[in-house]
Amino acid sequence: MKKGDVICPECSAGFRRLQLDSRRGTPGAFRCPLCDHVLEMLDGTAEVAYRLTVAPEKLFE
């Protein structure tokens, strides 16, 4: 399993990214659920999951 952090360049939301190479995933794109910016194109070779960890400041204004 690989772990990492990703920050959306559009809205600055922070995500935890988990990749499990032992399972096949679904090809497609992962988009930021807050601003719809494409964060990663997925080819389906591994299972990838994202979890929002830091909401952008503009949500609290």
Side-chain angles (χ1 to χ4, degrees):
M1 180 182 347
K2 297 177 187 171
K3 297 179 189 177
D5 295 314
V6 177
I7 296 176
C8 177
E10 290 293 317
C11 70
S12 300
F15 297 90
R16 170 64 70 159
R17 182 186 185 277
L18 301 174
Q19 179 175 326
L20 190 60
D21 291 325
S22 62
R23 290 185 60 177
R24 295 203 45 90
T26 305
F30 177 75
R31 294 180 172 273
C32 176
L34 303 172
C35 71
D36 206 38
H37 181 78
V38 175
L39 295 177
E40 181 180 7
M41 295 299 296
L42 305 168
D43 61 6
T45 59
E47 183 76 29
V48 177
Y50 282 87
R51 181 181 64 166
L52 180 66
T53 56
V54 180
E57 290 183 22
K58 65 182 174 184
L59 287 180
F60 299 110
E61 293 177 354

